[in-house]
Amino acid sequence: MKTRAAVLRGVGQPFEITEVELDEPKTGEVLIRFVAAGLCHSDEHLRHGDIVPRFPIVGGHEGAGIIEKVGPGVTRLQPGDHVVCSFLPVCGHCRWCSTGRSNLCDQGATILDGVLPDGTYRFHHDGDDLGGMCMLGTFSERAVISENSAVKVDDDLPLDKVVLIGCGVPTGWGSAVHAAATEPGDTIAIYGIGGIGINTVQGAALAGARNVVAIDPLPNKREAAEQLGATHSCETAEQAQELIQELTRGVGADKAIITVGVVDAEVVSSAVNVIRKGGTVVITGLADPTKTNIELNSAMLTLFEKTVKGSLFGSGDPFNDIPRMIELYQSGDLKLDELITSTYTLDQVNEGYQDLVDGKNIRGVIIYDTPPLEGAPA
Ligand SMILES: NC(=O)c1ccc[n+]([C@@H]2O[C@H](COP(=O)([O-])OP(=O)(O)OC[C@H]3O[C@@H](n4cnc5c(N)ncnc54)[C@H](O)[C@@H]3O)[C@@H](O)[C@H]2O)c1
Ligand SMILES: [Zn+2]
Ligand SMILES: [Zn+2]
């Protein structure tokens, strides 16, 4: 079958909206019709060249949609099911899955090739195999994905809102709740308020932090943070350092979480300086994985017992966290509707990324109006 998709062919090139060939689902796979796809900075890394995937690749790793067909051996899903995609697959059996760390599932090793677990591709164009970003490719009307990447949700949920729970929400929320282990009364510094950082703000506030300090040079980001749980906001790291010293009587922040678009040495140094003795810095934002990009004073870590750690998917388990976040949305404790600044069609994906680069969006979302396949449930 054919599907329209936004394809990246090389570094620095825009998304090309083109018709590609899509295979039928094989063993353990499902055909999904996407209803919505979020514009996360991680796809911008591929376009910009901060992170280089295998090209060509269909972009998009935040997605929600409806299952139209299932391949042989699929038992957990059936046509008509509504799902939120996890940007990391969960096999359930590898060492990491079986020890409650399924965000580190071994099947996630190929998310930048976009190849499915059996080592083959379902998107093709002009004789080329195309991967799907994070084994998904949500910037496509339809895709064939592993059932390990799809979390079933109730049919009455708004997929155009819960789509954010495929990446931005669990990553941001979990960075505060799981990775930083925010405790009641904590002072938390959060650097960078995009689709990830805004959810770190929500997670820190929900976990009971006394001071949630949001740092972003852009006024629209600081305003959004204050509306969604930040007690304070600062334009620069220097201002945050000064404020946090005042707020904590010179002790420092308990935890600092880095959710900027591109992580650099400067922001990591600021975060390490802002935390107290025994405090933790969580690095959630990404940078070029092939380069050394930070340098730290080791004595500061030794003498003050500071911890610097990374966090992937908010250090949570997708099949546990996605349903939990949906419940928090339903109870009104977690805001999603308020996070969506602009919506786009698939054809406007480059415009959406320009808005992300220009700092206009908390989160942009592509909305599809693809009719269901003949005979498939609506
Ligand atoms: N670890 C994971 O599992 C994971 C998952 C998804 C995304 N990410 C990464 O998280 C990062 C954030 O993604 P996003 O979609 O929220 O990006 P975004 O572009 O929407 O937001 C980034 C924000 O950071 C701000 N910023 C930039 N430099 C800053 C600085 N030095 N100090 C303070 N603020 C600064 C920008 O103004 C912007 O508001 C990206 O690197 C993305 O690839 C990581
Ligand atoms: Zn993402
Ligand atoms: Zn696994």
Side-chain angles (χ1 to χ4, degrees):
M1 99 194 58
K2 306 257 188 222
T3 185
R4 293 178 71 247
V7 178
L8 283 176
R9 297 199 171 275
V11 167
Q13 296 183 29
F15 284 100
E16 178 190 307
I17 319 300
T18 183
E19 196 168 69
V20 299
E21 197 60 47
L22 181 63
D23 296 339
E24 292 292 314
K26 292 192 182 170
T27 302
E29 298 170 0
V30 295
L31 171 70
I32 180 170
R33 171 168 51 89
F34 289 114
V35 170
L39 306 185
C40 175
H41 200 118
S42 299
D43 292 284
E44 170 59 18
H45 287 312
L46 309 192
R47 196 190 64 83
H48 184 265
D50 305 311
I51 297 174
V52 180
R54 172 196 175 276
F55 290 116
I57 190 164
V58 174
H61 64 282
E62 199 172 72
I66 300 172
I67 303 301
E68 292 194 318
K69 287 186 188 176
V70 303
V74 171
T75 52
R76 281 193 306 100
L77 295 169
Q78 55 185 14
D81 281 352
H82 289 207
V83 302
V84 170
C85 296
S86 167
F87 81 82
L88 291 165
V90 173
C91 81
H93 304 289
C94 71
R95 174 177 175 184
W96 317 106
C97 284
S98 61
T99 51
R101 304 189 71 188
S102 59
N103 61 319
L104 300 179
C105 177
D106 283 338
Q107 276 192 355
T110 56
I111 54 175
L112 289 178
D113 292 342
V115 68
L116 285 165
D118 77 350
T120 63
Y121 298 86
R122 299 295 163 271
F123 290 117
H124 313 278
H125 186 244
D126 279 350
D128 277 341
D129 291 330
L130 286 75
M133 171 61 164
C134 293
M135 301 159 67
L136 296 170
T138 65
F139 300 163
S140 177
E141 294 164 336
R142 292 189 165 81
V144 168
I145 63 174
S146 165
E147 68 169 329
N148 295 344
S149 304
V151 179
K152 182 173 159 31
V153 300
D154 289 345
D155 293 354
D156 57 355
L157 286 164
L159 291 175
D160 58 337
K161 308 291 188 305
V162 297
V163 60
L164 304 183
I165 305 182
C167 173
V169 180
T171 301
W173 188 90
S175 295
V177 173
H178 299 309
T182 300
E183 291 179 4
D186 270 355
T187 294
I188 308 288
I190 301 162
Y191 297 83
I193 308 299
I196 309 294
I198 195 73
N199 292 299
T200 310
V201 167
Q202 295 205 81
L206 256 174
R210 181 169 61 92
N211 297 307
V212 179
V213 181
I215 304 134
D216 199 296
L218 303 173
N220 57 326
K221 304 302 186 105
R222 298 198 297 275
E223 193 183 314
E226 292 204 3
Q227 279 163 5
L228 289 162
T231 54
H232 304 78
S233 68
C234 298
E235 193 177 343
T236 66
E238 293 72 29
Q239 287 169 7
Q241 173 78 26
E242 207 172 300
L243 172 72
I244 287 170
Q245 285 292 308
E246 264 170 46
L247 292 170
T248 61
R249 301 161 67 105
V251 171
D254 297 286
K255 287 108 191 191
I257 304 164
I258 301 175
T259 49
V260 301
V262 184
V263 173
D264 61 19
E266 198 181 329
V267 71
V268 178
S269 293
S270 302
V272 171
N273 286 327
V274 92
I275 56 169
R276 61 164 166 79
K277 290 190 258 189
T280 301
V281 171
V282 174
I283 304 180
T284 298
L286 288 163
D288 185 341
T290 65
K291 293 202 178 106
T292 301
N293 65 330
I294 63 173
E295 203 172 303
L296 292 172
N297 176 306
S298 69
M300 174 127 97
L301 302 185
T302 309
L303 301 177
F304 298 147
E305 291 200 347
K306 294 186 177 185
T307 300
V308 178
K309 67 194 279 195
S311 178
L312 182 64
F313 198 93
S315 309
D317 291 288
F319 280 78
N320 180 46
D321 279 30
I322 290 174
R324 177 191 288 217
M325 271 160 224
I326 284 172
E327 286 171 5
L328 285 170
Y329 170 60
Q330 288 171 316
S331 65
D333 293 299
L334 184 72
K335 306 294 181 202
L336 298 183
D337 303 26
E338 291 79 354
L339 310 188
I340 300 171
T341 318
S342 306
T343 60
Y344 305 90
T345 62
L346 178 63
D347 293 285
Q348 293 171 320
V349 62
N350 290 304
E351 200 179 300
Y353 272 103
Q354 192 56 50
D355 287 346
L356 176 137
V357 170
D358 293 342
K360 292 186 183 162
N361 288 348
I362 295 296
R363 201 54 135 196
V365 173
I366 293 173
I367 305 291
Y368 294 96
D369 60 358
T370 318
L373 277 185
E374 219 178 296

